[in-house]
């Protein structure tokens, strides 16, 4: 069989394992190993020889240290009550508008994403904080849960972002430049969600009534309480952008600062510290298992020459580069029906990246094209977190809002999905949105 045929069979069988609910890391490792044995003529010797060094070569990568550090930073923020302070601050400034409390929830999700890096953690944490307040002010269940499920995706859109770190490692791209490129699209995503809420309450005012007006003294007090959190974000992100520290050093500083803040201002005690350490260890183990599984699968794909054959075929077909990109993005949307964001990045980037890099988009350089595609992929992967039938963020929020039917939650996220698709179309047409900060400050 040709390399493309072998690759297709591996993917078909992999999807079968996922339907049978085999964990994604194990499924990728199993199919990768089976494909490797097939391609080496049924001989297990080459596979065993490759496995001797594969896990060590991957997990000894210094850049991977940034993942548990960013996860630990988010755990400290969760257990130290920093999420509640963020929500109170944004709500103090916006809560008196119609739909303002829901907008505050979205803004708080963006703020929490700036110190977390995980979408699921952002959705779960902010859901616990904001849902009771939204219910208290009489917000419709569909608007409350839809806004929080969509807002949770900002956890991976606003840097630092774990999927962007994985993308950078897979493509040998600069983590700092990718973080910088994600800033404007992340801000646009937040503003887009707020605009959606504004339109929804303009059409149906009863679904998002205005909250009480908070006096300026209360607003300034709420702002003062989140200044340390903003300081952590500034130290981490500006440190990376300014070249004062590499991403791993910045993540270590951020984790330590968040831990100190959680203990001194958030009231976190030994129980919270242990819970943060355990949560970080569990999430890191899951991510690293998926990484090893993806490496096994990618080794098989490299041996089959599928990515090279596919890139050559696309170039020979003379299809429009933009049409190719649209097909790739559509595949991401479809994969979002059955996979989580991390698995999609690990599974598809080794295949799609060579294809994209072999095409010409607006005359961009290889670096600009790599960064632009990384942000586009992240945005489409983010959609998979809220669209049916998987929509992990939707299930997390719906589990917290026990009085809201799942149907209502999915109905509530649809307007936010429309905002996502518009944002992707704008970034496709204007790549400079993602590249302007990189070109200005990235050196």
């Amino acid at each position: 069989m040709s390399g493309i045929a072998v690759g297709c069979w591996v993917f078909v069988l992999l999807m079968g394992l996922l339907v049978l609910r085999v964990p994604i890391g194990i499924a990728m490792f199993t199919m990768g190993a089976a494909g490797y044995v097939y391609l080496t003529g049924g001989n297990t010797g080459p596979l065993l020889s490759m496995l001797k060094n594969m896990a060590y070569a991957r997990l000894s990568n210094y850049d991977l240290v940034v993942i548990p550090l960013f996860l630990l930073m988010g755990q400290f923020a969760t257990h130290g009550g920093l999420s509640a302070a963020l929500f109170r601050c944004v709500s103090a400034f916006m809560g008196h508008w119609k739909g303002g409390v829901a907008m505050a929830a979205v803004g708080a999700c963006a703020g929490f994403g700036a110190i977390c890096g995980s979408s699921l953690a952002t959705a779960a944490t902010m859901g616990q904080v904001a849902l009771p307040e939204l219910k208290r002010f009489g917000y419709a269940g569909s608007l409350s849960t839809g806004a929080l499920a969509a807002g949770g995706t900002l956890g991976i859109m606003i840097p630092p972002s774990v999927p962007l770190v994985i993308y950078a490692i897979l493509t040998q791209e600069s983590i700092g430049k990718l973080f910088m490129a994600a800033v404007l699209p992340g801000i646009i995503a937040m503003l887009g969600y707020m605009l959606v809420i504004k339109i929804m309450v303009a059409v149906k005012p009863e679904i998002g009534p205005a909250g009480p007006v908070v006096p300026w003294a209360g607003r300034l007090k709420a702002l003062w309480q989140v200044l340390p959190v903003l300081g952590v974000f500034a130290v981490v992100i500006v440190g990376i952008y300014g070249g004062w520290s590499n991403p791993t050093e910045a993540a270590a500083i951020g984790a330590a600062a968040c831990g100190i803040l959680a203990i001194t201002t958030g009231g976190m005690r030994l129980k919270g510290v242990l819970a943060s350490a355990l949560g970080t260890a569990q999430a890191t183990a899951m991510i690293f298992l998926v990484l090893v599984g993806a490496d096994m699968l990618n080794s098989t794909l490299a041996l089959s020459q599928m990515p090279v054959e596919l890139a050559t075929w696309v170039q020979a077909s003379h299809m429009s580069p933009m049409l190719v990109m649209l097909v790739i993005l559509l595949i991401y949307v479809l994969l979002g029906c059955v996979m989580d964001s991390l698995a999609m990045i690990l599974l598809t980037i080794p295949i799609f990246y060579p294809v994209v890099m072999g095409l010409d988009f607006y005359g961009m350089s290889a670096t600009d094209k790599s960064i632009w595609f990384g942000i586009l992929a992240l945005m489409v992967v983010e959609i998979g977190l809220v669209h049916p039938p998987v929509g992990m963020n939707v299930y997390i929020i719906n589990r917290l809002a026990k009085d809201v039917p799942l149907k209502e939650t999915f109905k509530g996220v649809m307007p936010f999905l429309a905002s996502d698709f518009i944002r992707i179309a704008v970034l496709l047409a204007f790549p400079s949105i993602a590249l302007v900060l990189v070109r200005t400050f990235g050196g």
Side-chain angles (χ1 to χ4, degrees):
M1 288 192 290
S2 67
I4 291 181
V6 172
C8 288
W9 272 110
V10 167
F11 275 107
V12 168
L13 295 173
L14 174 61
M15 292 300 169
L17 291 179
L18 294 179
V19 170
L20 296 175
R21 302 184 69 83
V22 176
I24 181 68
I26 296 173
M28 286 195 291
F29 188 90
T30 301
M31 291 317 307
Y36 202 95
V37 170
Y38 174 83
L39 289 168
T40 53
N43 186 0
T44 59
L47 173 65
L48 295 176
S49 177
M50 189 266 293
L51 287 177
K52 286 190 302 183
N53 300 316
M54 186 188 72
Y56 177 79
R58 166 56 69 197
L59 301 182
S60 62
N61 187 337
Y62 175 74
D63 289 339
L64 280 179
V65 179
V66 76
I67 294 176
L69 289 172
F70 278 137
L71 291 173
L72 182 62
M73 189 163 69
Q75 287 285 333
F76 282 148
T78 301
H79 293 284
L82 303 181
S83 54
L86 282 167
F87 177 71
R88 285 195 302 268
C89 177
V90 185
S91 185
F93 284 89
M94 306 179 69
H96 59 284
W97 301 343
K98 286 184 178 179
V101 182
M103 294 183 200
V106 170
C109 284
F112 190 76
I115 54 173
C116 178
S118 166
S119 175
L120 300 182
T122 300
T125 303
M126 296 313 305
Q128 292 173 1
V129 172
L131 276 172
E133 290 297 298
L134 289 162
K135 185 176 181 180
R136 183 165 72 90
F137 287 114
Y139 276 62
S142 58
L143 175 59
S144 301
T145 54
L148 281 166
T153 63
L154 298 173
I156 61 171
M157 195 67 229
I158 302 286
S161 167
V162 171
L164 271 186
V165 173
I166 298 297
Y167 177 88
I169 292 170
L170 291 176
T171 61
Q172 301 299 303
E173 193 54 74
S174 163
I175 295 175
K177 288 183 178 181
L178 283 165
F179 281 3
M180 199 180 304
V183 170
L184 281 183
I187 292 173
I188 292 171
M190 179 190 70
L191 295 176
Y193 292 159
M194 289 182 176
L195 180 60
V196 166
I197 295 169
K198 192 73 173 175
I199 294 171
M200 290 173 71
V201 297
V203 175
K204 290 186 176 180
E206 68 276 8
I207 66 173
V213 177
V214 177
W216 274 102
R219 295 181 189 183
L220 294 176
K221 180 181 178 182
L223 181 61
W224 177 258
Q225 290 174 341
V226 299
L227 282 180
V229 180
L230 298 177
V232 171
F233 174 73
V235 168
V236 172
I237 302 302
V238 176
I240 295 174
Y241 297 168
W244 307 332
S245 58
N246 64 38
T248 304
E249 293 166 346
I253 294 169
C258 261
I260 293 170
L261 285 175
I263 293 171
T264 57
T265 65
M268 187 174 70
R269 296 296 176 259
L270 180 60
K271 184 178 179 181
V273 174
L274 294 177
S276 297
L278 180 60
T280 301
Q282 290 173 334
T284 302
M286 180 273 293
I287 291 172
F288 283 8
L289 175 62
V290 176
L291 271 171
V292 171
D295 270 358
M296 182 70 257
L297 183 62
N298 294 337
S299 297
T300 298
L301 294 177
L303 188 63
S304 73
Q305 294 292 299
M306 178 188 178
V308 176
E309 286 188 26
L310 185 61
T312 303
W313 178 82
V314 169
Q315 289 174 338
S317 68
H318 302 295
M319 284 194 294
S320 161
M322 194 55 67
L323 177 60
V324 175
M325 181 64 79
L326 289 173
V327 171
I328 289 173
L329 298 182
L330 178 61
I331 291 172
Y332 272 122
V333 173
L334 296 176
L335 286 177
C337 295
V338 294
M339 285 188 185
D340 62 67
S341 56
L342 185 64
M344 277 194 280
I345 291 289
L346 287 165
L347 187 63
T348 60
I349 291 303
I351 299 170
F352 292 154
Y353 187 77
V355 174
V356 171
M357 296 305 290
L359 299 173
D360 177 49
F361 293 93
Y362 306 107
M364 286 190 288
S365 67
T367 299
D368 285 351
K369 194 162 37 177
S370 174
I371 293 171
W372 176 60
F373 177 59
I375 302 303
L376 272 174
L378 182 70
M379 289 167 62
V380 185
V381 162
E382 161 195 307
I383 290 176
L385 293 166
V386 290
H387 81 66
V390 176
M392 288 301 297
N393 278 13
V394 173
Y395 287 100
I396 286 173
I397 295 298
N398 195 255
R399 199 179 307 146
L400 297 172
K402 301 187 188 309
D403 58 331
V404 180
L406 182 61
K407 179 181 176 182
E408 285 296 304
T409 305
F410 273 119
K411 180 181 174 183
V413 301
M414 291 304 167
F416 298 97
L417 279 175
S419 172
D420 286 333
F421 284 117
I422 292 171
R423 176 162 38 95
I424 289 168
V426 170
L427 188 61
L428 274 172
F430 304 101
S432 58
I433 293 172
L435 299 173
V436 61
L437 291 181
V438 179
R439 291 169 176 169
T440 304
F441 302 108

